[in-house]
Amino acid sequence: MKKIMTGNEAIARGAFEAGCTVAAAYPGTPSTEILENIAQYQEIYSEWAPNEKVAVEVVCGASIGGARSLAAMKHVGLNVAADPLFTIAYEGVNGGLVIVTADDPGMHSSQNEQDNRLYAPFAKVAMIEPADSQECKDFVKEAFEISEKFDTPVIFRVSTRVCHSKSLVELGERQEVGVKDYQKNVKKYVMIPAHSRVKHYEVEERLAHLQAYSNRSPLNRIEWGDKKIGIITSGISYQHAKEVFGDQASYLKIGFSFPLPDKMIKKFARMVDKLYIIEENEPYLENYVRILGIDCVGKEFIPRCGELSPEIIRKAFLPQEEKKHYQVDLKVPSRPPVLCAGCPHRGIFYAVSKYKDVVATGDIGCYTLGMMPPLNVTDVVICMGAGISAGLGFQRAALQGGRKEKVFGFIGDSTFFHSGITGLIDAVYNNTPTVMVILDNRITAMTGHQENPGTGRTLMGQPAPVVDIEGIVKAVGIKEENVRVVDPYDLTATQKAVKDAYEATEPFVIITRQPCALIKEVQRKRAGLFCSVNQEKCTKCRACIRTGCPAISFRDNQVVIDQTMCNGCTLCLQVCKFNAVEKVVG
Amino acid sequence: MVKSILLVGVGGQGTILASKILTEGLLRLDYDVKMSEIHGMAQRGGSVTTQIKFGKKVYSPCIGMGEADVIVAFEKVEAVRWLHQLKEGGILLVNDYEIYSLPVLLGQEEYPQNIIERLKDKVENFKAFNAAKIAEDLGNIKAQNIVLLGALIKALNLDGIDWTEVLKEHLPERLHDLNIKALEAGMRV
Ligand SMILES: Cc1ncc(C[n+]2csc(CCOP(=O)(O)OP(=O)(O)O)c2C)c(N)n1
């Protein structure tokens, strides 16, 4: 049977068919739907881990315990999980172990554009790269086989356009491989220096075997066309190249991309007149081809920055074929993402925005948008967790420099569980007088509402204990009098908490608690609620518009609230000095 | 020959559902299909695009400058934003409907006037109509995506299959009537 699937659905299907029994992930675009889809298969135990390091460690343990196991994450997630990756590389596997990294060329929803192909040679593990959904499914199965055969973890590298594009997939049956027995073997599974020294030699030997395999693997294939141009390419770049050159070129299509097939590359290069390397971002293939002493054309024409496309390849190699296009000279207004109408994050940012000497270190999630006009609160965003810890450092710099800034660090609930707790401990341990705001909307909102340890439900839909954020805050040593839990829809209470925090001389925590306005049950509960403007009382001062709510607009000389968007959070009502906003219960 | 369709709109307008139904229908018409969507921050009111390519064999899912055979703009300004993607002689379908972005709401940027006239001047194969209004009159503005889908199916002469069947498979039963009417209304415009 054939089915149209996204790459992510197909990876999940591949894991199912390969007999995978344990899977773990932390969400992150464009990888999130892999585990959401794996969770549909009852045969696989699947979980959201609090972060990627935990997810990879869970599957390392599961693999050693004999289960075919898979972890998935976005590219930056592998940075978080790099520590276990580099050492499980030495230990190898028992049940097959596949680690999916989903890169985001073009940064559709990421903070950087790192090319995770570079991880494979660094960690010395095998790497596989599919180019469409069918390959996603087939190659995951192959990845498990390779993992067990060569005793290596396998990096499965995909990118946004592979993850989020749909194409046809031929479905197969699940192969029941069961869970292998575990045998104690400390030389393999306990990496003390004495064992690791031996292992390093074995890893180098394994790479030699993998390289020999790479040269005969069906995942690397040559498609002969015109031999005047030869193209070496992999992943989505293959599809773009194929669209531009069709059979006017020959292709070495790489699916097993570490170790690279040296003999195959040499043979291919000999058979073609000109060699092009077509790849997105880093010159990963090109550098290797050059190390082999082969001349080629690549990054001098194909940019390192941004997402690749047929259009860019055409411009680089066939500029005469550039397409004509339409233009009208109208200035198009920008459409940046914004905090939704009724977003519970708005109240706290609004309250903090009134303090001009506050420096805000933000973090990653919907609340990153606290940097946007009109709130303009956030000064710094680096990576998950840094909302707290970079805040501590900034506070220290300000103190060392004799400056008066007060730092507010912002972090979402999912991000707090991911990597905020250690920063919080640092604040307590070193008594840094920073304010830490934990924005608890009970869900991982940014990536599309995945459960987290504060939600009360697991990925597999089971009820779960709610991990208690206040309990953690107090347990690590934030004093009771320095903790506030507020409803961010209550502006007065929120403003009071911000004032107390601003004046505090010790580490201080504010927890804002109100579920995300887009959660289905919340939408149902608030369905009849909205605010509306009493035009008689309205002075058109537009204070309400300065909350940045997208439901409020000024049209035809009137302030109006879009009732289909509004959920009655009443923030605008609370900022109106003229009582011109009224709450309606429909 | 591979044909390329670009759907552009604003988060929450239902571009993704429309493209799912379209993709499924194209498969039933025995085409190879690739569909690619970028929905990173879409839910937060950003602009959304979905690219659909179909033909005998499709490689890249991406559409570039001057490559789209059809653009369906679910919002007026988005038609202008993505116009450069339209192929010479390609079809442009526009929902005559405005959604102000935050910078416009805040008065920092302006929503351009006369978009429809300006587009009509440039693009030979151009059609604008208020799908939102049509859907609203049928009972729910949310069905505007299906009205636009109907118009697209007609524009591409893809009537070889029963689209209402495909539609039904993608929607809960209580929404069938409304959306079938929306689809038919779209096909008539
Ligand atoms: C290391 C890493 N993993 C995953 C992501 C993807 N990501 C961005 S924001 C986010 C979740 C934010 O959730 P939360 O902190 O609860 O904030 P909310 O969006 O709910 O406001 C995730 C998973 C990332 N940017 N970096």
Side-chain angles (χ1 to χ4, degrees), chain A residues 451-463:
Chain A
E451 298 82 0
N452 72 41
T455 306
R457 196 175 59 241
T458 68
L459 169 63
M460 296 178 82
Q462 299 299 315

Side-chain angles (χ1 to χ4, degrees), chain A residues 4 29 33 108-109 132 160-161 164-168 236 238-240 242-243 309-311 314-315 322-338 340 366 369 373-374 445-448 518 545-546 548-555, chain B residues 10 20 23-24 27 33-41 43-47 51 53 59-62 64-67 75 77-78 80-81 83-84 86-90 98-106 108-113 115 118 122-124:
Chain A
I4 186 132
T29 314
E33 302 83 5
H108 297 284
S109 28
D132 63 16
T160 301
R161 294 286 175 185
H164 286 171
S165 293
K166 286 192 171 185
S167 56
L168 282 171
I236 196 69
Y238 161 78
Q239 308 288 3
H240 301 328
K242 201 76 190 181
E243 172 160 323
S309 67
E311 182 185 329
R314 208 174 283 124
K315 270 194 193 137
E322 203 175 318
K323 308 256 158 112
K324 287 208 180 119
H325 60 92
Y326 293 98
Q327 262 172 320
V328 284
D329 54 344
L330 282 174
K331 198 168 170 328
V332 181
S334 59
R335 199 182 288 285
V338 292
C340 305
C366 292
L369 297 170
M446 174 90 264
T447 42
L518 297 186
I545 290 184
R546 287 190 293 275
C549 175
I552 312 177
S553 59
F554 191 71
R555 292 184 197 221
Chain B
V10 178
K20 269 188 187 159
T23 304
E24 190 59 43
L27 287 171
V33 187
K34 277 201 177 145
M35 180 253 238
S36 172
E37 59 192 40
I38 291 298
H39 54 206
M41 306 274 273
Q43 241 177 342
R44 320 288 167 254
S47 90
Q51 330 198 338
K53 286 184 159 182
Y59 290 103
S60 171
C62 299
M65 196 137 73
E67 290 178 0
E75 199 275 351
V77 142
E78 296 307 307
V80 184
R81 193 187 312 280
L83 181 67
H84 61 280
L86 190 67
K87 185 181 276 182
E88 256 198 314
E98 294 173 358
I99 299 175
Y100 286 2
S101 66
L102 196 63
V104 174
L105 295 177
L106 292 170
Q108 293 163 341
E109 294 184 39
E110 249 173 76
Y111 196 94
Q113 300 300 308
I115 292 178
R118 301 293 295 280
K122 287 273 172 184
V123 182
E124 309 79 52

Side-chain angles (χ1 to χ4, degrees), chain A residues 26-29 52 74 76-77 80 111 345 364-367 384 411-416 418 439 441 443-447 452:
Chain A
Y26 180 72
T29 314
E52 295 86 352
K74 73 183 276 140
V76 287
V80 179
Q111 66 266 43
H345 296 333
I364 307 192
C366 292
Y367 55 96
M384 292 188 75
I411 194 161
D413 51 340
S414 186
T415 306
F416 178 72
H418 179 282
L439 304 142
N441 62 358
I443 204 100
T444 315
M446 174 90 264
T447 42
N452 72 41

Side-chain angles (χ1 to χ4, degrees), chain A residues 152-448:
Chain A
T152 177
V154 175
I155 290 182
F156 196 82
R157 193 261 188 180
V158 283
S159 61
T160 301
R161 294 286 175 185
V162 172
C163 294
H164 286 171
S165 293
K166 286 192 171 185
S167 56
L168 282 171
V169 180
E170 179 75 48
L171 303 186
E173 295 293 316
R174 177 172 167 93
Q175 180 194 359
E176 283 301 349
V177 294
V179 173
K180 288 187 182 170
D181 291 337
Y182 164 71
Q183 250 139 24
K184 194 175 168 106
N185 182 352
V186 293
K187 290 207 167 92
K188 179 164 163 52
Y189 296 128
V190 180
M191 282 304 100
I192 53 171
H195 297 167
S196 307
R197 277 181 213 118
V198 180
K199 272 286 170 193
H200 190 179
Y201 285 96
E202 289 179 23
V203 167
E204 297 301 330
E205 222 172 277
R206 180 178 77 199
L207 286 180
H209 292 307
L210 283 166
Q211 178 133 45
Y213 168 78
S214 182
N215 279 303
R216 61 172 195 274
S217 168
L219 274 49
N220 295 327
R221 63 170 193 263
I222 293 176
E223 293 173 10
W224 291 117
D226 195 319
K227 292 189 180 159
K228 280 201 207 63
I229 299 171
I231 295 171
I232 303 180
T233 183
S234 68
I236 196 69
S237 306
Y238 161 78
Q239 308 288 3
H240 301 328
K242 201 76 190 181
E243 172 160 323
V244 173
F245 291 96
D247 51 19
Q248 301 299 304
S250 296
Y251 303 83
L252 171 51
K253 197 266 189 200
I254 305 280
F256 188 83
S257 54
F258 187 74
L260 284 161
D262 54 343
K263 294 203 176 73
M264 215 171 180
I265 292 172
K266 285 181 189 157
K267 175 181 139 195
F268 183 72
R270 266 199 312 274
M271 306 280 287
V272 296
D273 297 348
K274 253 191 274 171
L275 189 61
Y276 296 170
I277 313 294
I278 298 186
E279 60 189 322
E280 231 165 10
N281 298 150
E282 296 305 313
Y284 169 76
L285 300 171
E286 181 177 341
N287 285 349
Y288 186 74
V289 171
R290 291 191 189 282
I291 286 170
L292 292 178
I294 300 168
D295 194 28
C296 60
V297 178
K299 287 295 154 190
E300 53 197 291
F301 289 117
I302 303 271
R304 276 178 196 243
C305 302
E307 193 174 34
L308 198 55
S309 67
E311 182 185 329
I312 292 171
I313 297 174
R314 208 174 283 124
K315 270 194 193 137
F317 294 108
L318 310 165
Q320 68 283 5
E321 284 187 23
E322 203 175 318
K323 308 256 158 112
K324 287 208 180 119
H325 60 92
Y326 293 98
Q327 262 172 320
V328 284
D329 54 344
L330 282 174
K331 198 168 170 328
V332 181
S334 59
R335 199 182 288 285
V338 292
L339 293 175
C340 305
C343 175
H345 296 333
R346 184 169 284 108
I348 182 82
F349 282 114
Y350 182 80
V352 175
S353 72
K354 302 295 167 200
Y355 292 80
K356 295 305 165 203
D357 58 345
V358 160
V359 168
T361 50
D363 211 305
I364 307 192
C366 292
Y367 55 96
T368 306
L369 297 170
M371 56 135 332
M372 300 291 282
L375 296 164
N376 298 316
V377 170
T378 311
D379 292 274
V380 178
V381 172
I382 308 169
C383 63
M384 292 188 75
I388 290 186
S389 21
L392 303 178
F394 194 102
Q395 189 74 74
R396 285 294 166 193
L399 291 170
Q400 294 290 73
R403 294 200 315 254
K404 291 255 169 344
E405 292 126 332
K406 179 79 178 172
V407 178
F408 274 60
F410 288 85
I411 194 161
D413 51 340
S414 186
T415 306
F416 178 72
F417 294 124
H418 179 282
S419 47
I421 298 170
T422 40
L424 182 72
I425 293 172
D426 187 348
V428 172
Y429 176 43
N430 294 303
N431 195 33
T432 305
T434 295
V435 181
M436 290 153 284
V437 183
I438 304 169
L439 304 142
D440 183 9
N441 62 358
R442 316 259 84 186
I443 204 100
T444 315
M446 174 90 264
T447 42

